[in-house]
Amino acid sequence: MRNILTIIHYEYKAHIMRIATWGVFAAGVFFSLLDDFPSGGNLRRLEFLTDPVYFVYRTMSLGGLPVAFALMVLLSNRFSLDCKTGVKSLIMAGPTTKAQYIFGKTWGGFFYTVTVLSLFLAVNVLVYCLAAPFQVSVGSLLPAIAKTIIICVLPVSVFISFLSVSLPGWIDVRLFYAMAAVLFIINASTTGSAEPMPFYCITSGDLTKLIWRHPKFPLVNAGSIQANLVFLTGGGLLSLLPLLAKRRFWRHE
């Protein structure tokens, strides 16, 4: 356990200190606020923008999508980088096992992703509260933030971090980038609907309908919610299996 915690700490610190991380974060906040900043124009354009719960929902489902995929790129190719920098050789010189190394890298990426997405949500909410030309209900805002982190940020972080760290360990990283680009385009082109959303939606799947539901369409599809949750968590966790089973990964590249 100590070896895993050491690798988690190293991985988390390496990512959180990167300038690229905060560049992605700043760009994500900027473009998200362009869409849902409580200005006069946006208030006229977005019917429910005066509802803080809707703001939280929209921020994560739309603004969170490019941030999530940018983090996929930042998290990828970590194993290859460890080989080039000699970090993997140092780790292998100790009593660290292959499973400990893999779990340390992936969980470090998970905590990093949770941190960035949670801060992204928090900064957007803070700006909304300070700029809104109306009284914001803190009583409804705080539960919405907590719910969003639990039912959206955590599953999305499992998918993003585990897939991004482990997949390039057993396929070519260029193929991973191509797959991520296709998935992003599909997600970006999928518009919201009262009907069940596709299970492969990352930040805008039916899980997010548990945060806020349109007054005209209050019912949610339980099967679609479960499918979205299984895709996010299961897809991330299953990506570890080929890497754990790949014998050449640990001792010989």
Side-chain angles (χ1 to χ4, degrees), residues 21-22 75 252:
T21 292
W22 300 109
L75 284 166
H252 177 69

Side-chain angles (χ1 to χ4, degrees), residues 5-250:
L5 292 177
T6 300
I7 297 172
I8 288 175
H9 177 264
Y10 164 78
E11 193 69 10
Y12 180 86
K13 184 177 180 180
H15 281 299
I16 212 70
M17 297 297 291
R18 294 174 68 180
I19 296 177
T21 292
W22 300 109
V24 165
F25 175 82
V29 170
F30 174 76
F31 287 108
S32 179
L33 287 173
L34 280 181
D35 174 66
D36 52 23
F37 183 81
S39 62
N42 283 340
L43 288 170
R44 289 189 294 270
R45 179 174 62 90
L46 301 174
E47 179 183 0
F48 302 104
L49 193 55
T50 55
D51 182 356
V53 180
Y54 172 78
F55 174 83
V56 172
Y57 159 80
R58 188 176 180 88
T59 297
M60 279 309 304
S61 61
L62 296 181
L65 180 64
V67 176
F69 276 90
L71 293 180
M72 287 187 76
V73 175
L74 294 181
L75 284 166
S76 64
N77 217 24
R78 294 298 297 169
F79 293 125
S80 177
L81 184 62
D82 276 3
C83 292
K84 292 178 181 179
T85 58
V87 171
K88 183 178 178 182
S89 298
L90 292 175
I91 294 174
M92 290 172 60
T96 305
T97 66
K98 172 185 174 181
Q100 289 175 334
Y101 175 60
I102 293 172
F103 290 148
K105 300 289 283 188
T106 51
W107 280 105
F110 169 77
F111 290 118
Y112 159 75
T113 306
V114 170
T115 299
V116 174
L117 290 179
S118 297
L119 285 175
F120 166 77
L121 178 62
V123 170
N124 275 276
V125 168
L126 179 61
V127 172
Y128 175 80
C129 291
L130 295 176
F134 49 83
Q135 186 68 33
V136 176
S137 173
V138 178
S140 60
L141 185 59
L142 294 180
I145 295 173
K147 185 185 292 186
T148 301
I149 291 175
I150 293 171
I151 68 176
C152 185
V153 171
L154 293 182
V156 168
S157 295
V158 169
F159 181 83
I160 294 297
S161 59
F162 281 55
L163 206 70
S164 303
V165 174
S166 62
L167 208 58
W170 54 278
I171 67 171
D172 190 283
V173 69
R174 291 168 295 185
L175 177 58
F176 170 77
Y177 291 149
M179 293 168 61
V182 170
L183 185 59
F184 173 76
I185 292 172
I186 292 175
N187 272 257
S189 60
T190 302
T191 57
S193 171
E195 299 298 321
M197 294 288 287
F199 68 90
Y200 51 76
C201 289
I202 307 303
T203 61
S204 59
D206 279 350
L207 265 176
T208 58
K209 291 182 180 178
L210 296 176
I211 302 170
W212 180 86
R213 280 170 277 183
H214 196 289
K216 294 183 180 179
F217 310 102
L219 299 179
V220 292
N221 187 294
S224 183
I225 291 173
Q226 293 170 359
N228 191 210
L229 178 62
V230 169
F231 174 74
L232 293 175
T233 57
L237 294 172
L238 287 176
S239 66
L240 292 176
L241 298 182
L243 191 59
L244 290 168
K246 186 180 178 182
R247 296 181 180 180
R248 296 179 58 190
F249 169 76
W250 185 234

